[in-house]
Amino acid sequence: MFDFFPFIFSAFLVGLGLHLLLKAFAKQEPANLPHGSMGLPLVGETLGFLKPHRSNSMGSFLQQHCSRYGRVFKSHLFGSPTIVSCDHELNMLILQTEEKLFQVSYPKAMHGILGKFSMIIVSGDIHKKLRNIGASFITASKSNPEFLNCVENMTTSMMNSWKNCDQIGFCKEVKKFTLNLMVKHLLSIEPEEPLAFKILEDFLTYMKGFVSLPVYLPGTAYASAVKARARLSATVRGIIKERQKEQSRHGKGDFLDAVLSKESLSDEETVSVVLDLLLAGYETTATLTSLIVYFLALYPNVLQHLKREHDAIRENKRKGEPLNWKITRKWNSLAIRPLWMAQDKATTKKVMPFGGGPRLCPGADLAKVEIAFFLHHLVLNYRWKTMADDFPLAYPYVEFKRGLLLEIEPIQDMAGNIDLTCNI
């Protein structure tokens, strides 16, 4: 059995330890702080924290610090004094008691990347307002036939493009899929439009510097990320201005139209909520899908179990009938269950891929639908193998050493056909 918890914990530490743990120290250091090290001047211990390691381990930084100082220790990361928790129960307490015992706090350097109205940074009433706007649209989307058809059409289109390929770089492909889906759904931008490619390029640059040493010098990952975020903001602002000019025309019916019709957000808040949803729907969904595909290749018994379930789904619907929310609702979290099936119960309780408390990802159900649709067509139409030297690494967010390079082979039916039909 693989130990999935260390990967989740490492990724979780970025999302939790850097913005949901304890607030920055006061100028006079309190006497009751945990033990730890503040590292070098200016950079603190950031370089050690960012050292890549296999994502199925805590990495040498956390292992050494926990061994020396305990599972809760002080450090200096990303330009700010920080308390780091490797204690699952404490982390759960922090998530559940935000605004009561704990306050959201990101290092100041992160604000240049995220923007001051990002849902990750803001708290209190403004967080509730922005989160509710995003959540209401997402709730409606997950059962919207138009959205579900879009997910299925984009899935089958991508997999059709693989039919003559022996190898694919899966991470690159799935990131393209998730971002194209989000820009289509949020902003009505078609995948083949140059603007979709521009947004993808900026997001790739953005993510490389999202968690990096916060040094704003030309050529650094941090500086490039700040500039990429500024370009993304300018792109969304430009789309907003065009929409506002066309208010008398028939709306596109996408997320941006829904937000503009409410007139409850400033332009800057609207830009932030759009970018937050693009980021969440793009990076996290793509990463989780990549991990599922990677681990399914390692556990063929789990893959066969999943394939039997999807075979039953295919047999119980009419030929050409699209997947829908009524069907997927019966799958019992089929999107991420492959991970649960390949680990023990004690580990499962510690896995929180969508966070918790007030910071529970509002798009979790939407992500599960997207992943479930994608897996449905993948397991029924392709076999795949991973490379021995390709595995997930924590940077501390997750990447694959070779971009999850897969050897793929189409699965053909008795007549030699590949079943990639959908309601196009």
Side-chain angles (χ1 to χ4, degrees), residues 98 117-120 122-139 255 259 262 265 269 272-274 276-277 354-365:
E98 183 190 340
F117 287 113
S118 171
M119 279 188 278
I120 299 174
V122 296
S123 59
D125 291 340
I126 188 168
H127 175 259
K128 291 177 182 177
K129 180 177 75 169
L130 296 176
R131 190 181 190 281
N132 287 341
I133 287 174
S136 62
F137 186 75
I138 288 168
T139 300
F255 174 75
V259 173
K262 294 180 184 296
L265 300 181
E269 288 173 330
S272 282
V273 75
V274 168
D276 282 344
L277 291 176
F354 298 109
R359 299 284 160 172
L360 179 68
C361 176
D365 285 342

Side-chain angles (χ1 to χ4, degrees), residues 134-155:
S136 62
F137 186 75
I138 288 168
T139 300
S141 298
K142 68 183 183 183
S143 56
N144 184 329
E146 184 178 347
F147 172 71
L148 298 180
N149 285 343
C150 181
V151 176
E152 190 162 22
N153 292 344
M154 284 194 178
T155 300

Side-chain angles (χ1 to χ4, degrees), residues 152 156 317 319-321 377 381 418-424:
E152 190 162 22
T156 55
K317 68 184 185 72
K319 186 174 179 62
E321 178 188 0
H377 289 289
N381 291 287
I418 301 174
D419 181 17
L420 283 170
T421 58
C422 69
N423 188 32
I424 300 178

Side-chain angles (χ1 to χ4, degrees), residues 307-377:
K307 188 176 184 301
R308 286 195 296 270
E309 291 186 334
H310 283 287
D311 270 327
I313 291 169
R314 178 169 58 182
E315 290 171 3
N316 289 330
K317 68 184 185 72
R318 297 185 303 274
K319 186 174 179 62
E321 178 188 0
L323 297 173
N324 57 57
W325 176 243
K326 185 177 180 181
I327 295 173
T328 60
R329 207 169 37 180
K330 302 175 182 177
W331 294 0
N332 187 24
S333 300
L334 204 57
I336 55 177
R337 189 142 50 94
L339 298 176
W340 308 159
M341 294 167 64
Q343 60 189 312
D344 59 67
K345 292 181 180 179
T347 300
T348 299
K349 293 179 180 178
K350 297 180 180 180
V351 176
M352 296 179 291
F354 298 109
R359 299 284 160 172
L360 179 68
C361 176
D365 285 342
L366 200 65
K368 290 175 185 177
V369 169
E370 292 174 24
I371 297 170
F373 276 42
F374 194 92
L375 285 179
H376 175 77
H377 289 289

Side-chain angles (χ1 to χ4, degrees), residues 84-328:
V84 178
S85 170
C86 298
D87 184 273
H88 177 69
E89 285 70 28
L90 175 57
N91 293 344
M92 286 297 296
L93 174 67
I94 291 166
L95 280 173
Q96 299 298 331
T97 57
E98 183 190 340
E99 301 295 336
K100 297 175 184 176
L101 298 179
F102 299 91
Q103 175 71 49
V104 170
S105 179
Y106 253 91
K108 288 183 179 179
M110 302 294 287
H111 291 221
I113 293 180
L114 294 168
K116 67 178 182 178
F117 287 113
S118 171
M119 279 188 278
I120 299 174
I121 289 177
V122 296
S123 59
D125 291 340
I126 188 168
H127 175 259
K128 291 177 182 177
K129 180 177 75 169
L130 296 176
R131 190 181 190 281
N132 287 341
I133 287 174
S136 62
F137 186 75
I138 288 168
T139 300
S141 298
K142 68 183 183 183
S143 56
N144 184 329
E146 184 178 347
F147 172 71
L148 298 180
N149 285 343
C150 181
V151 176
E152 190 162 22
N153 292 344
M154 284 194 178
T155 300
T156 55
S157 176
M158 171 157 284
M159 293 190 188
N160 270 313
S161 71
W162 299 346
K163 285 195 294 186
N164 297 317
C165 298
D166 296 322
Q167 290 185 343
I168 58 166
F170 187 81
C171 286
K172 182 178 180 180
E173 291 287 286
V174 76
K175 284 181 180 181
K176 187 193 305 180
F177 164 75
T178 55
L179 188 66
N180 283 343
L181 181 61
M182 292 306 294
V183 296
K184 167 67 175 175
H185 193 46
L186 298 179
L187 302 171
S188 295
I189 298 173
E190 299 295 338
E192 61 272 13
E193 291 184 43
L195 188 55
F197 178 77
K198 180 177 181 293
I199 291 173
L200 176 60
E201 289 293 297
D202 281 336
F203 260 107
L204 290 172
T205 303
Y206 178 65
M207 285 309 304
K208 286 179 182 178
F210 183 73
V211 182
S212 62
L213 188 65
V215 177
Y216 193 88
L217 291 174
T220 62
Y222 176 78
S224 297
V226 172
K227 292 175 182 178
R229 206 278 181 182
R231 289 194 298 271
L232 287 165
S233 297
T235 297
V236 176
R237 282 196 186 93
I239 296 171
I240 290 172
K241 287 182 180 179
E242 288 299 316
R243 294 286 180 91
Q244 289 170 338
K245 289 178 183 178
E246 300 173 353
Q247 283 182 344
S248 59
R249 301 182 185 179
H250 181 68
K252 296 180 181 293
D254 56 21
F255 174 75
L256 186 56
D257 271 354
V259 173
L260 294 177
S261 67
K262 294 180 184 296
E263 299 182 348
S264 60
L265 300 181
S266 67
D267 283 357
E268 193 170 0
E269 288 173 330
T270 301
V271 168
S272 282
V273 75
V274 168
L275 291 181
D276 282 344
L277 291 176
L278 281 173
L279 175 61
Y282 153 67
E283 179 65 25
T284 55
T285 305
T287 299
L288 185 53
T289 306
S290 297
L291 285 166
I292 291 171
V293 168
Y294 172 76
F295 286 120
L296 283 174
L298 298 185
Y299 295 89
N301 60 319
V302 178
L303 176 57
Q304 287 305 310
H305 183 93
L306 189 67
K307 188 176 184 301
R308 286 195 296 270
E309 291 186 334
H310 283 287
D311 270 327
I313 291 169
R314 178 169 58 182
E315 290 171 3
N316 289 330
K317 68 184 185 72
R318 297 185 303 274
K319 186 174 179 62
E321 178 188 0
L323 297 173
N324 57 57
W325 176 243
K326 185 177 180 181
I327 295 173
T328 60

Side-chain angles (χ1 to χ4, degrees), residues 7 10-11 50-55 57 392-399:
F7 149 68
S10 183
L50 290 175
K51 185 178 179 180
H53 60 85
R54 283 180 177 265
S55 67
S57 73
L393 294 170
Y395 279 88
Y397 55 86
V398 176
E399 289 186 358

